[in-house]
Amino acid sequence: VAMADDEDDPSNREISKCWLAMKALERHDLDECLEHCNVALEKNPYDQQMWYIKTRCLTLKNWIDDTELEEEGVAEVLMDEHATAAMPRPGTSLRRPGTRTQTGMPNQGIRPTTSSGRPTTGFLRPGTSTRPMTNNGGVEGAFRGNRPGTTRPVTTSGRMVRLGTASMLAEPGGPFINVDKLDLRKYAQRPALARVLCDYILHHDRNPKKAVELASLATVNAGFDDWWWKHRLGKGYYQLGLLRDAEKQFKSSIADMPTIDATLQLANVYIRLDQPASAMRVYRAGQTQFPGETSMLLGEARIHDALNDMAAGVALYKNVLQWDATNVEAIACMGAHHFYTDQPEIALRFYRRLLMMGVNNTELWNNLGLCCFYASQYDMTLHCFERALQLADDDNMADVWFNVGQVAIGIGDLNLAEQAFKIAVSVDANHSESFNNMGVLDLRAGKVDQAIANFQTAHELLEFAHEPLYNAALTAFKLGQFQKAFEKVEKALENFPEHEDSLELKKQLVQHFNLL
């Protein structure tokens, strides 16, 4: 019997690097996949299989869910040429949410609002709390970020370029693919390589201009019948700010092959165009084509929230929970709704549900503490705030201390309240609500000048809030400074036209001026 050669011995055979890379990619172990690809490409740089796998791996490693709206940059706000009406009808524009009338819902005096005039929804979403108000525009309003003291990015595409630069610098030996030196016409004739290359350009290099060029060539090569390339063209146009071109491509893609991603992207286009009615029509068509898809229901609910139509939004959140009982956004929004409609016991049940699902953060424990306090479960209130402070960082600790101060006022401990507000201000020097409440406490203690200074600081930090203006107007009225009180109360009514106390104070001032 002849002896087998060493080459035929199974123990000496090496497992294919391509097979190992593919299995690592299936397991989503991207670092291991890259290691196998690098080893194989060092031996043979022209290995198309490994090039394909590595390109796909780098794309997945830098993939960002672009179906969510991103924060608009300063350039998009100041040079927005897509507005169709300077004075839109009530309830038809996201830039004027306060124009829609609603019945049976808490007003601005009960439910706080964001800088755009929308009531807080209980869930922080990208791009929904940073849109500027129409009456608060200009350069200063465009540069102002979501929180006082912060600024928005200059351009959205500029941030994408920085993300792409960071991902390329993170690669050892420089960028894997130099897109500027590629012959895109050659790749457009090879659909499999062209598709993975297009996603690489969009999500890794963040170069929508090159992606649009490749997608245009591939669309022509496919005879204008490939829905996938139309979808990528729409993505590229959207990132370049060519919203009408993106709308045409997404519509054409959906007509050829309805997909969830294209439907969500088309709705985002209409939101950027400030056409909420069109966006809701797209979401409703998506609900018909994809029954049970919660992203369509959530998208429509977000628009109702943005238009200040809270009742319709709550109905949609309930529908979302019928399909997906573990949806964090719907549970959080329902909890906030019940809390602000004077039902803290029901809100407590929703927040406890989030806790049982594994959510454990500062905001949740803070909300649990407030619900326990207003539901008269005082033994749990301080425990919840202690847990919130243990998990808090510099971004949200001021809000927790502010709520501790609110609870202290509720139980009559004004010294604890003052200390809590001072700690909140020390953590976040731009926390307007704490300055306002410190002014009220100073006024009760007889420190009038210090109270006026705190009201002024609170107004400068949060111009859309009506409380500091009303407090300053009432203080000026009691001091006999009627003209100053009238100016302050006028500004307060601009921010909240339905504020009863401001209307009463203005009525008294008008009567006083008529007597003079």
Side-chain angles (χ1 to χ4, degrees):
V1 179
M3 298 296 292
D5 295 335
D6 291 341
E7 295 180 357
D8 296 332
D9 187 358
S11 61
N12 293 331
R13 294 175 184 172
E14 184 180 358
I15 300 177
S16 169
K17 293 293 183 184
C18 180
W19 185 85
L20 290 173
M22 289 175 61
K23 288 301 179 182
L25 189 63
E26 289 179 5
R27 297 193 308 269
H28 213 73
D29 190 350
L30 302 181
D31 293 331
E32 181 184 345
C33 179
L34 284 177
E35 291 177 5
H36 294 310
C37 292
N38 291 333
V39 172
L41 288 172
E42 285 178 2
K43 295 180 180 179
N44 182 11
Y46 299 101
D47 190 340
Q48 291 189 9
Q49 286 181 325
M50 302 308 292
W51 184 91
Y52 181 95
I53 295 172
K54 184 175 180 179
T55 305
R56 185 65 183 158
C57 181
L58 290 172
T59 303
L60 292 175
K61 197 171 184 179
N62 295 276
W63 187 282
I64 295 177
D65 185 10
D66 51 7
T67 58
E68 296 283 353
L69 271 177
E70 73 285 346
E71 182 179 354
E72 293 183 1
V74 178
E76 285 87 352
V77 174
L78 290 179
M79 295 180 284
D80 184 11
E81 298 178 353
H82 302 292
T84 56
M87 293 294 291
R89 295 192 304 273
T92 62
S93 173
L94 298 173
R95 298 188 182 276
R96 297 177 63 85
T99 57
R100 190 179 186 99
T101 58
Q102 56 176 355
T103 57
M105 291 290 114
N107 58 27
Q108 187 177 344
I110 299 174
R111 187 166 191 163
T113 60
T114 63
S115 58
S116 59
R118 300 188 182 95
T120 54
T121 58
F123 193 84
L124 184 61
R125 314 180 185 101
T128 58
S129 57
T130 53
R131 282 175 174 266
M133 295 172 62
T134 305
N135 60 354
N136 209 12
V139 178
E140 293 182 2
F143 274 94
R144 191 177 298 115
N146 182 23
R147 291 285 300 171
T150 61
T151 58
R152 65 174 70 237
V154 178
T155 61
T156 306
S157 58
R159 180 172 50 189
M160 291 295 182
V161 171
R162 290 194 297 275
L163 287 173
T165 305
S167 61
M168 285 187 286
L169 290 177
E171 296 179 28
F176 172 54
I177 300 174
N178 192 343
V179 182
D180 295 328
K181 295 183 180 180
L182 292 181
D183 184 4
L184 298 181
R185 294 182 181 275
K186 181 182 71 174
Y187 281 93
Q189 297 174 0
R190 309 178 68 177
L193 294 179
R195 291 192 179 195
V196 72
L197 179 61
C198 183
D199 279 344
Y200 176 88
I201 297 172
L202 275 174
H203 295 282
H204 182 273
D205 286 1
R206 310 287 175 183
N207 190 349
K209 185 178 178 181
K210 281 292 182 182
V212 166
E213 183 180 349
L214 175 60
S216 300
L217 295 171
T219 303
V220 174
N221 188 63
F224 302 95
D225 292 331
D226 195 326
W227 65 269
W228 194 93
W229 285 113
K230 294 176 182 178
H231 182 213
R232 292 306 184 271
L233 266 175
K235 276 191 174 185
Y237 284 137
Y238 180 82
Q239 292 184 14
L240 290 172
L242 304 174
L243 301 181
R244 289 300 182 186
D245 294 325
E247 176 192 2
K248 294 177 183 177
Q249 295 298 331
F250 286 134
K251 281 185 174 180
S252 181
S253 176
I254 293 172
D256 292 340
M257 173 65 72
T259 59
I260 296 173
D261 193 48
T263 305
L264 295 175
Q265 292 276 9
L266 179 60
N268 286 346
V269 169
Y270 286 125
I271 293 173
R272 284 284 297 271
L273 289 171
D274 196 17
Q275 296 180 9
S278 299
M280 284 192 286
R281 282 197 296 269
V282 171
Y283 283 129
R284 287 166 187 163
Q287 293 167 26
T288 304
Q289 293 172 336
F290 308 101
E293 179 57 41
T294 56
S295 58
M296 305 293 175
L297 297 168
L298 286 174
E300 187 181 354
R302 292 174 183 178
I303 295 181
H304 283 297
D305 283 347
L307 292 174
N308 217 353
D309 188 4
M310 309 305 295
V314 167
L316 287 167
Y317 288 129
K318 290 180 180 178
N319 196 1
V320 170
L321 292 177
Q322 289 179 357
W323 289 100
D324 181 8
T326 61
N327 189 281
V328 176
E329 180 176 351
I331 295 173
C333 291
M334 289 298 299
H337 166 73
H338 286 293
F339 178 80
Y340 287 116
T341 52
D342 200 19
Q343 296 173 318
E345 297 86 0
I346 301 178
L348 189 59
R349 294 175 59 187
F350 282 99
Y351 289 127
R352 285 177 59 192
R353 169 68 175 170
L354 289 178
L355 201 61
M356 289 187 289
M357 286 168 51
V359 180
N360 184 34
N361 54 31
T362 302
E363 291 79 9
L364 178 57
W365 284 105
N366 176 77
N367 293 348
L368 281 168
L370 288 174
C371 289
C372 289
F373 176 73
Y374 288 106
S376 301
Q377 300 182 16
Y378 302 115
D379 54 335
M380 293 294 296
T381 302
L382 292 180
H383 173 69
C384 292
F385 281 122
E386 286 176 0
R387 293 292 298 270
L389 289 172
Q390 290 173 3
L391 298 172
D393 54 17
D394 290 343
D395 292 332
N396 49 28
M397 187 178 291
D399 291 331
V400 180
W401 279 112
F402 170 76
N403 287 321
V404 171
Q406 290 287 90
V407 170
I409 291 177
I411 63 177
D413 192 346
L414 300 185
N415 291 328
L416 174 60
E418 185 176 4
Q419 291 177 7
F421 294 140
K422 286 182 178 179
I423 294 174
V425 171
S426 67
V427 174
D428 182 5
N430 296 312
H431 203 262
S432 169
E433 295 88 350
S434 296
F435 277 108
N436 178 71
N437 287 11
M438 284 173 58
V440 175
L441 293 178
D442 289 335
L443 205 60
R444 290 175 62 91
K447 305 174 184 177
V448 179
D449 294 336
Q450 190 170 346
I452 294 174
N454 284 330
F455 292 145
Q456 182 63 29
T457 304
H459 169 61
E460 292 174 355
L461 293 174
L462 214 62
E463 293 184 357
F464 62 86
H466 66 280
E467 293 94 341
L469 290 168
Y470 169 73
N471 291 335
L474 187 61
T475 304
F477 178 76
K478 291 181 178 180
L479 293 175
Q481 302 172 0
F482 301 119
Q483 183 61 39
K484 182 178 180 181
F486 187 79
E487 295 173 358
K488 294 288 185 182
V489 79
E490 280 285 313
K491 293 181 180 178
L493 288 172
E494 288 179 5
N495 293 341
F496 184 18
E498 302 172 2
H499 190 221
E500 293 292 339
D501 294 335
S502 296
L503 291 172
E504 181 63 27
L505 180 58
K506 182 180 178 181
K507 182 179 179 181
Q508 294 182 18
L509 287 169
V510 170
Q511 291 177 353
H512 177 76
F513 291 148
N514 290 335
L515 291 175
L516 295 177

